[in-house]
């Protein structure tokens, strides 16, 4: 794959993303710590200022911090972050962890600390992402992944910003001694927001004891009200008038549906509904029995500078004191802050549940990556609109590669939705030997992904895989076929031309060139 092509695709994703121009209903990022994200770069759906953990607010930081988050020109949140993070052991110590120690993780250079498209690796990889074995530790970046670092990817701290076609994802990793925490936010073209927190460990310390981790997100919603941030909080669409704590309940909503929490602007009707993921229910409150973490949700009046349950962050302060935040203040005609807890348990062998033995115990899973997080679903007029018309364009318009006999290689092109603002391009991709009018498998040609969606003005990367292990020297041709809901260009044929050569093998064996 040529360096020029990588740069070209990165340009498609990032063109204009560095412009700090102020628009109506757009964020203005200030200071060196705030970094502007506009996605897509043209006619942006999402705009915000991101801050890496080491420069985030609150005592000992607050993980990946997002400020001035806008959706389709509407303010959503003034701030979203993680001011409280805990590690709790079954019968010994416990910690109130720090959240400001940036840690290296693996990412394509194209997405390190700015918007781009991930090619190699296909998405940013953290310690938690790497961990799938019950007891094995993979150390620090590149986490024992063969072939890394390389020319296109390496280890770096900060925030990766990845254009996923119909979504954009921000990822960071921060450390607290051996613990490696992953913080992610994904924003979709339809308005959904998905925060995710992952709990990793770089050397296995503490795995001899069953323990828990507790993460508390804090969101300062200010939907459609930059001046005063007056929003309304509700539970199952019933408005709350005073501060409250609450618990998740998978059947606690109308008709036995899950309980949800809503934030909306009372004038415009635009809002968000917090829906727990299935994984969020796995660890109930106070599973350890130590009484340190007893609530899932807090709705509070927002106060500037009040981020956590205490102004300091002592390591041994094991319990989250909800009474310091929820103390009877009115939620009527005021700004609000919503807190949401997720937890995981890392179980050692023959230890859980208490009193178990042999086959009744949960197998050890101390090092298995565990991720948690809800979905925020947009509702109201800002999403109740007629979608625009998509338009598919590809660049470059062909694949031309040379490969040695017996080897394989890849190349790629960009698929852009150049249609109306708010449109979504849905596509499928297959191959054809002669014409895309008659698609079918081509033994030596693969493509990835096979299908997907692209938001307006966004670009997805399509990778062609050429396998010359069974090909004789010579020239080969085929097509990659892009089918989409573009009403004008429902089918785009991308020619693939391959030259299979023995030249490199001849030179490698010491023969002179003719």
């Amino acid at each position: 794959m040529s360096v020029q092509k990588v740069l070209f695709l990165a340009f498609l994703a990032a063109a204009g993303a560095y412009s700090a121009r102020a628009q109506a209903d757009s964020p203005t990022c200030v200071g060196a710590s705030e970094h502007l994200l506009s996605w897509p770069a043209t006619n942006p759906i999402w705009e915000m200022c991101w801050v890496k953990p080491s420069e985030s607010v609150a005592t000992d930081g607050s993980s990946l911090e997002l400020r001035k988050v806008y959706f389709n020109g509407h303010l959503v949140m003034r701030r979203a972050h993680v001011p409280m993070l805990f590690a709790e052991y079954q019968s010994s110590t416990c910690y109130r962890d720090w959240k400001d120690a940036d840690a290296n993780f693996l990412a394509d250079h194209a997405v390190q600390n700015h918007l781009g498209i991930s090619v190699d690796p296909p998405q940013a990889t953290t310690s938690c992402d790497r961990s799938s074995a019950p007891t094995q530790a993979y150390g620090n970046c590149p986490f024992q992944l063969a072939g890394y670092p390389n020319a296109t990817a390496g280890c770096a701290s900060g925030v990766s910003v990845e254009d996923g076609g119909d979504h954009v994802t921000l990822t960071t990793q921060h450390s607290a001694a051996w613990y490696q925490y992953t913080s992610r936010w994904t924003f979709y073209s339809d308005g959904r927001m998905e925060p995710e927190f992952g709990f990793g460990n770089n050397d296995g310390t503490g795995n001899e004891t069953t323990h828990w981790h507790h993460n508390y997100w804090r969101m300062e919603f200010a939907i459609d009200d930059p001046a005063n941030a007056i929003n309304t909080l509700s539970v199952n669409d019933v408005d709350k008038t005073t501060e409250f704590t609450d618990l998740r309940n998978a059947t606690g909503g109308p008709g036995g549906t899950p309980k949800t929490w809503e934030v909306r602007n009372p004038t415009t009707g635009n809002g968000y509904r917090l829906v727990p993921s299935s994984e969020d229910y796995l660890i109930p409150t106070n599973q350890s029995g130590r009484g340190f973490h007893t609530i899932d949700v807090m709705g509070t009046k927002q106060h500037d500078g009040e981020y956590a349950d205490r102004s300091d962050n002592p390591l041994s302060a094991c319990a989250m004191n909800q009474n310091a935040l929820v103390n009877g203040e009115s939620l009527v005609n005021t700004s609000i802050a919503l807190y949401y807890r997720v937890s995981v348990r890392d179980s050692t062998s023959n230890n859980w549940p208490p009193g178990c033995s042999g086959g009744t115990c949960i197998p050890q899973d101390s090092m298995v990556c565990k991720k948690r997080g809800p979905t925020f679903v947009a509702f109201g007029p800002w999403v109740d609109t007629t979608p625009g018309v998509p338009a598919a364009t590809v660049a470059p318009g062909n694949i031309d590669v040379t490969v040695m006999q017996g080897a394989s290689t890849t190349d790629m092109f960009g698929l852009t939705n150049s249609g109306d603002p708010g449109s979504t391009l849905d596509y499928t991709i297959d191959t054809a030997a002669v014409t895309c009018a008659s698609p079918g498998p081509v033994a030596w040609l693969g493509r990835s992904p096979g299908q997907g969606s692209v938001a307006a003005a966004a670009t997805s990367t399509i990778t062609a895989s050429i396998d010359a292990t069974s090909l004789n020297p010579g020239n080969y041709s085929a097509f990659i076929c892009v089918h989409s809901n573009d009403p004008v260009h429902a089918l785009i044929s991308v020619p693939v031309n391959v030259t299979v050569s023995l030249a490199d093998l001849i030179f490698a064996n010491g023969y002179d060139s003719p």
Side-chain angles (χ1 to χ4, degrees):
M1 181 190 311
S2 68
V3 173
Q4 289 84 356
K5 184 166 287 189
V6 171
L7 292 174
F8 178 76
L9 288 170
F11 172 79
L12 287 176
Y18 300 103
S19 170
R21 59 188 172 83
Q23 308 178 39
D25 302 316
S26 293
T28 299
C29 302
V30 297
S33 65
E34 293 189 353
H35 304 269
L36 177 65
L37 166 62
S38 296
W39 176 86
T42 304
N43 298 319
I45 298 171
W46 285 101
E47 294 189 283
M48 66 197 70
C49 304
W50 61 260
V51 179
K52 64 183 179 180
S54 61
E55 296 178 338
S56 59
V57 300
T59 303
D60 291 336
S62 53
S63 187
L64 171 59
E65 182 182 356
L66 307 179
R67 302 175 186 169
K68 293 165 277 191
V69 178
Y70 281 76
F71 169 58
N72 281 336
H74 298 261
L75 180 62
V76 176
M77 296 183 290
R78 295 197 296 196
R79 191 188 316 272
H81 57 157
V82 178
M84 296 183 288
L85 179 62
F86 300 83
E88 174 192 3
Y89 287 73
Q90 184 175 9
S91 58
S92 55
T93 189
C94 51
Y95 303 106
R96 184 179 286 246
D97 275 337
W98 55 100
K99 297 83 58 185
D100 59 355
D102 300 331
N104 284 351
F105 60 99
L106 183 66
D108 192 309
H109 296 311
V111 303
Q112 291 178 3
N113 295 301
H114 53 76
L115 178 64
I117 297 174
S118 285
V119 177
D120 179 27
Q123 64 180 29
T125 302
T126 65
S127 174
C128 185
D129 297 329
R130 174 69 167 116
S131 299
S132 58
T135 59
Q136 183 174 352
Y138 294 95
N140 294 319
C141 186
F143 316 117
Q144 301 178 28
L145 287 168
Y148 295 103
N150 57 34
T152 62
C155 298
S157 63
V159 177
S160 69
V161 189
E162 300 173 283
D163 187 334
D166 68 340
H167 64 275
V168 61
T169 299
L170 298 92
T171 300
T172 193
Q173 180 170 275
H174 50 94
S175 63
W178 53 88
Y179 290 127
Q180 306 289 306
Y181 295 111
T182 301
S183 186
R184 273 197 180 95
W185 279 82
T186 299
F187 297 87
Y188 291 87
S189 57
D190 62 6
R192 282 175 295 145
M193 305 186 293
E194 291 185 347
E196 180 185 77
F197 209 82
F199 305 83
N201 185 324
N202 67 356
D203 65 7
T205 299
N207 286 347
E208 71 283 353
T209 303
T210 294
H211 58 278
W212 291 259
H213 295 274
H214 308 274
N215 166 69
Y216 290 81
W217 278 291
R218 176 181 180 273
M219 285 78 62
E220 294 181 22
F221 280 93
I223 298 171
D224 286 333
D225 194 352
N228 302 303
I230 295 175
N231 280 186
T232 299
L233 261 175
S234 61
V235 181
N236 291 332
D237 293 312
V238 177
D239 291 352
K240 304 292 290 186
T241 57
T242 58
E243 295 180 321
F244 65 93
T245 62
D246 211 346
L247 299 174
R248 283 183 286 265
N249 188 330
T251 59
T257 59
K259 180 188 286 188
T260 61
W261 298 264
E262 297 79 33
V263 186
R264 75 180 190 281
N265 182 292
T267 301
T268 67
N270 290 325
Y272 270 91
R273 176 170 287 106
L274 189 165
V275 182
S277 68
S278 58
E279 291 82 6
D280 292 355
Y281 293 100
L282 296 178
I283 306 299
T285 56
N286 196 30
Q287 190 178 58
S288 70
R290 303 183 73 179
F292 293 154
H293 302 277
T294 60
I295 57 93
D296 294 322
V297 178
M298 294 185 288
T300 72
K301 176 181 172 63
Q302 186 269 329
H303 294 282
D304 291 343
E306 181 187 71
Y307 304 124
D309 59 330
R310 51 191 302 156
S311 59
D312 56 359
N313 195 61
L315 190 64
S316 60
C318 300
M320 197 287 291
N321 178 18
Q322 60 262 32
N323 294 327
L325 295 166
V326 179
N327 45 37
E329 290 189 274
S330 174
L331 294 178
V332 178
N333 198 35
T334 190
S335 56
I336 57 94
L338 180 65
Y339 293 79
Y340 184 76
R341 177 193 71 91
V342 292
S343 298
V344 301
R345 183 190 67 246
D346 292 328
S347 306
T348 192
S349 60
N350 299 317
N351 181 262
W352 192 265
C356 71
S357 63
T360 65
C361 296
I362 292 175
Q364 183 165 2
D365 64 355
S366 304
M367 291 299 295
V368 175
C369 173
K370 303 170 186 71
K371 304 174 186 178
R372 302 288 185 267
T375 297
F376 288 89
V377 181
F379 63 85
W382 57 2
V383 291
D384 296 339
T385 58
T386 302
V389 178
T393 57
V394 300
N398 61 287
I399 298 289
D400 290 299
V401 297
T402 298
V403 60
M404 291 187 298
Q405 184 184 26
S408 60
T409 188
T410 61
D411 206 344
M412 60 188 180
F413 61 89
L415 173 60
T416 299
N417 179 5
S418 54
D420 295 338
S423 66
T424 299
L425 179 74
D426 299 317
Y427 66 87
T428 59
I429 297 184
D430 50 28
T431 59
V434 179
T435 172
C436 285
S438 302
V442 177
W444 50 266
L445 177 61
R447 80 279 185 245
S448 178
Q451 61 183 13
S453 300
V454 190
T459 299
S460 284
T461 301
I462 311 302
T463 300
S465 303
I466 293 90
D467 181 2
T469 56
S470 299
L471 299 181
N472 294 320
N475 298 318
Y476 298 81
S477 63
F479 294 90
I480 291 180
C481 312
V482 181
H483 308 265
S484 74
N485 59 337
D486 178 345
V488 178
H489 301 103
L491 173 61
I492 298 177
S493 300
V494 179
V496 180
N497 300 301
V498 178
T499 299
V500 179
S501 174
L502 278 173
D504 288 336
L505 290 178
I506 293 172
F507 297 147
N509 288 328
Y511 292 93
D512 293 329
S513 60

